[in-house]
Amino acid sequence: MARTRTRARRQDPEVVRLRRVALDAAAAGLFVFPVQPGGKLPAVPRHSAERCRGRGICAEGHQGWEQRATRDRAQICRWWSGDASARFNVGIACRPSGIVVIDLDTSTEPLPEWGGATTGREVLDQLTARHGQTLPDTYSTVTPTDGEHLYYRMSDGLELRNTHGGHGHSLGPLIDTRAA
């Protein structure tokens, strides 16, 4: 009787690490989706621009990245399948996960009206001090541009929106929020 050997597919260590990050996030109750390597854009397939606007549910049943974000282990393992072609970053869909992310950016130009601050962290610290508050400890990550993301659970029933660029209803310059 002849014995056959199956060759195990070598898994890229970075993809294995990213899959573990995605699985850990899902186990913590967060909805994840793949993000293009080295970027911020979702890497979930979608219809062509002529047939679909790329968000929400279209007439053909397309679901956007937020609707396709998941906690399903099998889907996560398919997205981060093990070879180098699946080196997706891990995105977290804030709305379905019930979280708000405070995105603290950096700048090379000091902000005179904020005591020369060059980071969103410095602006946020000044804001909390002005109001006699402190932020609770939370999970945080460093961004590729030396910024910081702070993750907080939203209270049930609270509906927050994204803010950007220190304009309108944002907390301040160099501070964005991600919620819905």
Side-chain angles (χ1 to χ4, degrees), residues 48-125:
S48 68
E50 298 81 43
R51 296 180 8 212
C52 181
R53 58 194 174 118
R55 60 184 191 277
I57 299 175
C58 76
E60 296 177 21
H62 163 79
Q63 293 184 334
W65 61 266
E66 188 175 46
Q67 293 81 22
R68 294 189 59 197
T70 188
R71 294 185 296 201
D72 180 69
R73 290 181 59 83
Q75 179 61 53
I76 292 168
C77 289
R78 282 190 295 277
W79 280 336
W80 288 273
S81 61
D83 61 29
S85 67
R87 274 191 175 180
F88 301 120
N89 289 332
V90 179
I92 297 174
C94 294
R95 180 193 324 239
S97 297
I99 64 170
V100 61
V101 176
I102 301 176
D103 179 1
L104 305 172
D105 294 326
T106 60
S107 173
T108 57
E109 296 295 320
L111 300 170
E113 65 278 14
W114 291 91
T118 58
T119 68
R121 169 57 86 174
E122 293 169 307
V123 172
L124 186 60
D125 289 346

Side-chain angles (χ1 to χ4, degrees), residues 94 98-102 150-154 160 177-179:
C94 294
I99 64 170
V100 61
V101 176
I102 301 176
L150 307 175
Y151 296 80
Y152 292 96
R153 294 267 183 203
M154 280 194 285
L160 297 176
T177 60
R178 300 290 175 251

